[in-house]
Amino acid sequence: MAGNNFKKDMRQNDIVDSARAFFTSFGVLFLIFLIALVVSLAYPQKQEAAEGPSGATTTVDPDKIFQANCASCHGQNLEGIVGPKLANIGSQLSEKEISDIIHNGKGIMPPGILTDPKEVSAVAKWLSEKK
């Protein structure tokens, strides 16, 4: 009988050891995650400067801004998905009207997707040329 209890104790010890190893690994990964989170909050990445190294103003690429912020609803080729088609929006709305919609939203489009005035202006101008 003593032999059966010994085997049972060994199986329980194996389970306890496995659980310890799992939670130790989980704890280490959690600590790494926390350290990375704290570092990212303490030292945020610097965004691209509006001026180049020589002081010259860099241009804003409206196509890149559109692809990063607007294409998920309006389509990569301005064909419209959830949001309306923008392929010929310049023949329907002026640059100022487009800028107003980008800034304030309209319908299901929320306001404030683009907050940088230079980006809003560049995308509005770019879209107003789509006729």
Side-chain angles (χ1 to χ4, degrees):
M1 286 293 197
N4 283 342
N5 285 339
F6 180 73
K7 287 182 181 180
K8 187 177 180 183
D9 289 341
M10 287 301 289
R11 279 184 267 150
Q12 287 176 342
N13 285 340
D14 288 345
I15 292 170
V16 169
D17 289 342
S18 294
R20 269 194 198 130
F22 171 78
F23 286 113
T24 301
S25 299
F26 181 77
V28 168
L29 289 174
F30 185 71
L31 286 174
I32 291 171
F33 169 76
L34 282 178
I35 291 169
L37 179 65
V38 169
V39 168
S40 70
L41 293 174
Y43 302 102
Q45 292 181 350
K46 294 180 181 179
Q47 293 186 358
E48 255 183 56
E51 293 185 5
S54 64
T57 305
T58 58
T59 59
V60 177
D61 186 350
D63 184 47
K64 284 185 180 178
I65 296 166
F66 179 88
Q67 294 301 326
N69 298 284
C70 313
S72 60
C73 293
H74 295 287
Q76 291 182 342
N77 299 314
L78 309 172
E79 72 272 16
I81 299 175
V82 176
K85 173 182 161 185
L86 300 177
N88 61 350
I89 195 69
S91 64
Q92 300 166 7
L93 299 173
S94 69
E95 181 179 341
K96 185 179 181 321
E97 292 170 319
I98 295 170
S99 178
D100 184 55
I101 292 171
I102 293 170
H103 184 70
N104 298 314
K106 182 177 179 181
I108 63 169
M109 180 176 163
I113 292 176
L114 296 180
T115 56
D116 183 351
K118 290 180 182 179
E119 290 181 353
V120 172
S121 177
V123 172
K125 183 176 189 309
W126 179 71
L127 287 172
S128 70
E129 295 168 355
K130 307 290 181 191
K131 299 188 184 208

